[in-house]
Amino acid sequence: MDIRNYPEAPDFSELQDIVVESIPQAEIEARRADGDVLVEDNVRERDDLNVVAYISGERDASQTDNIGIPYYRLTQLFGTPQFPELQAGEDISGRTDATFKYLFRVTYKGNHDELPTEWLMTIHDSHVRFAASVAEWRDEATAFTADSKLALTTYTLALQLVLEPVECVYEEMLF
């Protein structure tokens, strides 16, 4: 089911108390140098939620765009992905199903009974589909499952970031 139609997902209007900041590549490299590992809970792949985010202006996703559209919009807004292994010109032999990934710090200034004050989020592709994950830095690569409210908020927020075009027209196509 599309995240915009999911009963427990927040409406876009509920996200106005959230600030999203791109994490600098230097911070990612410093955390890794200290031995930290970024672990993620991919919301799109959670069986208990069974939710997807279609890149479409229509709630029924009747005109779904491909993964290139959100990637292009993220590049316009935040530049190239911060992860060194996902930079253009790097060895791509180790890539599996992710060809791009952005890491963001999310700060919530609303009611703290529902969501944490701060968390990490990645926006990426997953099996050639748009995805978002709740992320944490840990000492080792261990699996975790984020709270459902946090997971749904993260995915809704990620979709909101890429859904609207950045004013750019190329060959009569609005991006």
Side-chain angles (χ1 to χ4, degrees):
M1 173 180 296
D2 183 73
I3 188 76
R4 290 169 285 184
N5 300 323
Y6 200 83
E8 289 87 29
D11 189 77
F12 285 165
S13 64
E14 297 175 45
L15 304 176
Q16 59 190 333
D17 293 329
I18 294 178
V19 176
V20 177
E21 299 173 276
S22 180
I23 306 260
Q25 183 174 351
E27 185 177 329
I28 294 170
E29 291 172 345
R31 294 295 298 250
R32 287 177 168 177
D34 288 343
D36 291 339
V37 176
L38 188 71
V39 295
E40 299 169 85
D41 176 20
N42 185 337
V43 181
R44 184 180 188 283
E45 293 186 1
R46 283 184 50 174
D47 292 333
D48 64 324
L49 297 177
N50 193 25
V51 65
V52 295
Y54 293 113
I55 308 303
S56 171
E58 305 299 323
R59 291 183 72 88
D60 66 357
S62 59
Q63 297 294 319
T64 302
D65 293 322
N66 66 41
I67 193 63
I69 299 297
Y71 181 39
Y72 182 78
R73 290 177 181 164
L74 288 166
T75 303
Q76 285 182 303
L77 293 168
F78 303 105
T80 58
Q82 315 97 305
F83 291 90
E85 65 273 15
L86 296 175
Q87 298 295 311
E90 295 299 315
D91 177 13
I92 63 170
S93 63
R95 293 183 188 175
T96 55
D97 67 332
T99 59
F100 72 88
K101 184 182 297 186
Y102 288 84
L103 178 61
F104 299 98
R105 182 174 293 108
V106 181
T107 306
Y108 179 59
K109 300 177 186 287
N111 181 353
H112 296 290
D113 293 337
E114 297 180 14
L115 295 169
T117 304
E118 187 175 286
W119 73 92
L120 297 176
M121 162 180 83
T122 58
I123 299 178
H124 51 92
D125 59 332
S126 177
H127 307 286
V128 197
R129 299 285 186 254
F130 180 76
S133 298
V134 179
E136 294 181 0
W137 287 109
R138 294 198 174 170
D139 293 337
E140 59 185 71
T142 56
F144 83 101
T145 303
D147 171 75
S148 294
K149 173 84 174 166
L150 180 60
L152 292 169
T153 300
T154 297
Y155 208 16
T156 303
L157 182 61
L159 178 61
Q160 185 181 30
L161 283 174
V162 301
L163 200 54
E164 294 298 321
V166 176
E167 281 295 320
C168 175
V169 177
Y170 178 72
E171 293 185 1
E172 299 181 25
M173 183 184 229
L174 180 63
F175 286 92

